[in-house]
Amino acid sequence: EDDDMYRIPLSNEIVLKGHSKVVSALAVDHSGSRVLSGSYDYTVRMYDFQGMNSRLASFRQLEPFEGHQVRSLSWSPTADRFLCVTGSAQAKIYDRDGLTLGEFVKGDMYIRDLKNTKGHISGLTCGEWHPRTKETILTSSEDGSLRIWDVNDFKSQKQVIKPKLARPGRVPVTTCAWDCEGKSIAGGVGDGSIQIWNLKPGWGSRPDIHIEKGHEDDITGLKFSSDGRILLSRSTDDSLKQLILTGTSVERDSTTGGLLCFFDRTKLELVSKVGISPTCSVVHCAWHPRLNQVFATVGDKSQGGTHLLYDPSLSERGALVCVARAPRKKSVDDFEAKPVIHNPHALPLFRDQPSRKRQREKALKDPMKSHKPELPVTGPGFGGRVGSTKGSLLTQYLLKQGGMIKETWMEEDPREAILKYADVAAKDPKFIAPAYAETQPEPVFAKSDSEDEE
């Protein structure tokens, strides 16, 4: 009943996925058609409700500064550009389609007085576009300053604001915000104080409103109400100061997960709460006035997403546009098979190259291309080759076939082997001897001289 009275859209939910780590920044444009989400995985994803179907995929992914987490995103009043703040010292400006328009200059870290540096000298913490003027932005940094910039001049800032501190030093400014008219600036300082400056002629760094002990710990978020009378603040000290819609963190030993809590502005009573994630903390949240839809970013070390709560009866456009649009089913006509034409009798110039497998098989059969070595063989052989091929030369083959060459030559004494066949050769000559048997003269041997033998 309370939800109906306050028109809180909680009946339906979708999740814009894509990030691999905590989603730390969120920005919805004023018309409610485009959503930006930034993450600790160093990327920014862009979603378009008009172009998405129920798969809810982002149409563009950016990496503004390599190795630096995305900390804040903000649309310009006309939603034609957006500001991206990362852990680096330089903020970037992109157009509506995600193309880089420029980045602001970094200051000289060796200059002690921050008023004399041309830009921030250490990591940024937050940034917001002026709600009315499309040329002006505001940034805060760990170097302990807030700066106002002109987006047409990336070389130096228009104004440097140094918060009031109890003792000299550099205390980081953890967050910043414009009021709805763009006439005041609020900054959350690392010492727990909240300081507000009114923009007027000749104004300086002295704050008009200084709440010394606004919180006990780092201030993580500031937001002005639409009428400019109330400033909302959120901190890591587990306290809420004038808060209407907030996200909660997951505690180590707690059984509850990340919640979205809705408070009545006048009574500061808890009106409604809804569980967003059982294991992850809610990092950033926004309630879009035109769409009447609630955005909440969550994530851990392995995944990140933007949860979108809406009610079909209370909400308008936004998620309702793309959820109703189911993804198109693929038709048979979507798949086109390219025809393969075989022409075996074509000229070599126009003939298709044979397949690689066939070319390889053909090359293996070609002895010139493959350089196939001769196969090894076993046993003793001849002619420099060891094997049972009966000799590599024709003469050796014939002699072996005729029985003239035996395999025992390695073990026998050559003189004994020859004399063994002396009687056989005399009785049964085979080759040369028969031809000269009749005409061959008797061999005459010289008689041995006893003196020579001695």
Side-chain angles (χ1 to χ4, degrees):
E1 292 174 0
D2 288 340
D3 293 353
D4 292 341
M5 185 175 72
Y6 291 101
R7 288 176 55 84
I8 302 175
L10 301 177
S11 63
N12 297 58
E13 180 184 21
I14 62 171
V15 183
L16 306 177
K17 296 182 179 177
H19 291 291
S20 59
K21 289 188 180 177
V22 178
V23 181
S24 53
L26 174 71
V28 189
D29 71 347
H30 309 292
S31 65
S33 62
R34 286 205 174 170
V35 180
L36 303 173
S37 65
S39 170
Y40 282 2
D41 64 5
Y42 317 134
T43 63
V44 173
R45 284 184 177 267
M46 304 179 70
Y47 301 88
D48 186 19
F49 285 128
Q50 306 298 327
M52 279 196 301
N53 56 23
S54 60
R55 288 201 184 95
L56 306 175
S58 60
F59 73 90
R60 179 150 296 168
Q61 180 179 352
L62 316 167
E63 187 170 358
F65 217 106
E66 188 177 353
H68 285 281
Q69 299 167 346
V70 181
R71 293 186 173 172
S72 184
L73 296 164
S74 179
W75 285 101
S76 67
T78 53
D80 60 335
R81 290 171 288 183
F82 67 89
L83 165 70
C84 177
V85 168
T86 63
S88 71
Q90 296 169 274
K92 276 193 171 184
I93 302 290
Y94 292 88
D95 72 357
R96 186 174 173 80
D97 295 320
L99 300 175
T100 308
L101 297 177
E103 66 177 3
F104 294 104
V105 71
K106 184 179 180 180
D108 188 346
M109 58 168 48
Y110 297 107
I111 297 176
R112 186 166 181 80
D113 189 356
L114 293 172
K115 293 249 181 190
N116 297 328
T117 61
K118 291 184 177 180
H120 289 292
I121 61 172
S122 58
L124 301 173
T125 56
C126 189
E128 197 171 296
W129 211 294
H130 193 289
R132 299 291 173 89
T133 310
K134 64 177 186 177
E135 309 300 330
T136 307
I137 65 161
L138 170 70
T139 57
S140 62
S141 169
E142 294 167 355
D143 64 11
S145 68
L146 296 100
R147 293 172 196 253
I148 297 174
W149 304 80
D150 185 346
V151 296
N152 296 319
D153 179 18
F154 291 102
K155 297 296 182 186
S156 87
Q157 70 270 334
K158 288 166 64 176
Q159 182 85 19
V160 181
I161 308 159
K162 293 198 294 184
K164 183 180 178 182
L165 301 173
R167 58 178 61 88
R170 284 184 183 172
V171 181
V173 181
T174 55
T175 186
C176 60
W178 293 98
D179 73 337
C180 291
E181 297 292 323
K183 294 178 180 177
S184 299
I185 291 170
V189 188
D191 59 4
S193 67
I194 297 172
Q195 303 183 28
I196 301 174
W197 296 266
N198 294 326
L199 275 66
K200 52 186 182 291
W203 69 287
S205 286
R206 185 174 294 277
D208 295 283
I209 300 173
H210 183 207
I211 306 164
E212 281 193 33
K213 291 293 178 184
H215 286 279
E216 298 296 324
D217 211 333
D218 283 351
I219 298 163
T220 56
L222 291 173
K223 196 76 176 174
F224 281 94
S225 62
S226 56
D227 57 8
R229 293 169 54 199
I230 295 177
L231 175 68
L232 318 173
S233 66
R234 179 184 68 179
S235 171
T236 54
D237 63 2
D238 297 338
S239 70
L240 318 172
K241 303 291 175 74
Q242 297 288 342
L243 197 61
I244 309 302
L245 164 67
T246 183
T248 66
S249 302
V250 176
E251 295 184 13
R252 194 161 284 177
D253 300 323
S254 175
T255 55
T256 57
L259 305 173
L260 265 182
C261 301
F262 298 84
F263 288 79
D264 188 315
R265 171 174 154 177
T266 54
K267 304 174 191 173
L268 285 182
E269 291 177 354
L270 181 65
V271 173
S272 177
K273 64 180 180 180
V274 59
I276 297 296
S277 172
T279 56
C280 303
S281 303
V282 176
V283 182
H284 206 103
C285 56
W287 192 341
H288 199 278
R290 185 173 290 185
L291 301 180
N292 193 25
Q293 297 175 17
V294 177
F295 297 80
T297 69
V298 299
D300 55 20
K301 291 180 180 177
S302 60
Q303 60 173 345
T306 303
H307 290 248
L308 204 164
L309 302 173
Y310 65 98
D311 190 321
S313 59
L314 299 174
S315 304
E316 299 178 9
R317 301 203 323 270
L320 298 172
V321 176
C322 57
V323 172
R325 189 186 298 143
R328 174 178 165 271
K329 291 181 180 178
K330 292 197 173 183
S331 166
V332 179
D333 300 327
D334 292 352
F335 303 97
E336 181 183 352
K338 292 184 178 179
V340 180
I341 301 170
H342 297 281
N343 187 2
H345 305 295
L347 291 169
L349 179 65
F350 304 107
R351 195 178 299 160
D352 290 337
Q353 289 293 325
S355 66
R356 287 189 177 183
K357 185 180 178 184
R358 191 164 292 176
Q359 281 181 325
R360 196 163 56 248
E361 287 175 355
K362 191 175 178 183
L364 284 171
K365 289 178 182 176
D366 188 345
M368 295 299 291
K369 287 185 179 179
S370 64
H371 299 289
K372 186 179 178 182
E374 293 180 358
L375 293 172
V377 289
T378 57
F382 310 95
R385 287 204 66 213
V386 178
S388 57
T389 55
K390 301 177 182 176
S392 58
L393 298 174
L394 179 63
T395 314
Q396 291 173 342
Y397 176 75
L398 292 172
L399 287 172
K400 187 158 188 182
Q401 287 293 88
M404 297 295 286
I405 299 176
K406 299 290 184 183
E407 297 263 345
T408 56
W409 60 273
M410 294 179 78
E411 294 85 11
E412 291 185 52
D413 181 36
R415 179 182 172 82
E416 290 179 3
I418 294 169
L419 290 175
K420 187 165 65 177
Y421 295 101
D423 296 336
V424 178
K427 292 177 183 176
D428 185 18
K430 284 187 180 179
F431 296 103
I432 302 169
Y436 301 98
E438 297 177 0
T439 57
Q440 187 70 18
E442 279 288 327
V444 178
F445 298 106
K447 293 182 180 179
S448 63
D449 199 356
S450 57
E451 292 178 4
D452 293 340
E453 285 181 1
E454 289 175 3

